[in-house]
Amino acid sequence: MKTKNTIIELIPLFLTCLFAVIYIYLFDFLRYNIADTHNFVNAAKILFGNNDLIDSQSRITKPIILVIPGLLNYLFNVSIETIMLLQNIFLFIGTGYFFNLYLKNLNYSIFERTIAVYMLFTIQPIAVHSFELITDIAGLFFTVLILYLYTYSHYKYNSVKTLLLIVTISAGILSKESCGLAVIIIVADSIVNRNKKLIINNIITLGISGCIILLSQLYISSHFYTHTAIYNVIEEFKNNNGYYVNFQQILHSFDMYWALFIVSCIYMLYRLHTYKLYIASMLLTIPALFIWATVQDRTIAVAAPLFIVIFIEYIHNSTISRFLKILILIFGFGNIVCSYLIYAHAIAGILPIYYCLGFVALGIYVYTEKIYVPIRNK
């Protein structure tokens, strides 16, 4: 019995590894990101003393993710691109592993956690960009790792846990700014929660992390003669001649999962008092997604862990039918198939067809199940 339970608990990890194998081969033609990879490679070399290269996009402001590729290249002349790919594989698997543990900390069942992992890795920007030689997957990895550490023994803070959180938050944001999402959720918890010890500990943790990040940016700026990450965001607005929102790509961020997320958000609003933390997290997170100069699918998809947890909470308190389970599977499969056809074969007009079919299926589900805001009888 114990062996069987152990195997069942490993299902999310097996699923993560399966997705890793599929995406490495399915989207291999996108591996080398023309706009970004070259600059990450240069930054890794500059980090270890190469003065003949130019870091035109100030990628060295995210040094943590460059350390291993740069160091192995410096010591053993190993290809930086190869190490970046291996590093992204490790981060991808780690993302699924810690996302599962984070949800376990929140007391969700193995079935609910498996659904969550499936949804996370069938989101288009995550599937497409995780194995590109860029740092998107690093941001997702550190987001779920921070949330896992934060929710582990939630009210039992000690010096070791605080230190681990400080190191992880600092390393995460110095790898990819998008993992600031986890910090937003910690701030939301501090606002909603009235536990004074927790609030004080959070202030100390975030305060020290902020100082480490700021000092690191100032050192990088002065030592490598580059801009800080904050300046880069401002510079992005100048380069774009203002603010640009790609609405079509925003829709493609979660594809048909948008419908499920909206239903679950309405459910949360319906029971506002019970779900204050989720509502507060959304109210703080959604505006933060629009602080970049260019808002697109990749910048919106960083909120995937939050939206997925909200949906999992919805089905946790609802009667999930076989029809809804099938819909989740179909939506995830459809998201990836459409993404592949668009990126690999440039097939136009496939998304409107997919969305129409998806909403018809969702409408049939709502009508046949007679479910609008389902609440499980306690």
Side-chain angles (χ1 to χ4, degrees), residues 54-74:
I54 298 175
D55 181 16
S56 61
Q57 294 181 331
S58 300
R59 297 302 184 187
I60 205 164
T61 57
K62 304 165 187 172
I64 301 299
I65 210 67
L66 303 174
V67 170
I68 295 177
L71 180 62
L72 292 179
N73 175 261
Y74 176 75

Side-chain angles (χ1 to χ4, degrees), residues 333-344:
F333 183 76
N335 292 348
I336 302 309
V337 169
C338 288
S339 298
Y340 175 75
L341 293 176
I342 291 169
Y343 281 95

Side-chain angles (χ1 to χ4, degrees), residues 58-89:
S58 300
R59 297 302 184 187
I60 205 164
T61 57
K62 304 165 187 172
I64 301 299
I65 210 67
L66 303 174
V67 170
I68 295 177
L71 180 62
L72 292 179
N73 175 261
Y74 176 75
L75 294 176
F76 307 109
N77 199 31
V78 180
S79 165
I80 289 178
E81 291 90 339
T82 300
I83 302 304
M84 286 178 69
L85 176 59
L86 293 174
Q87 184 172 258
N88 281 3
I89 292 171

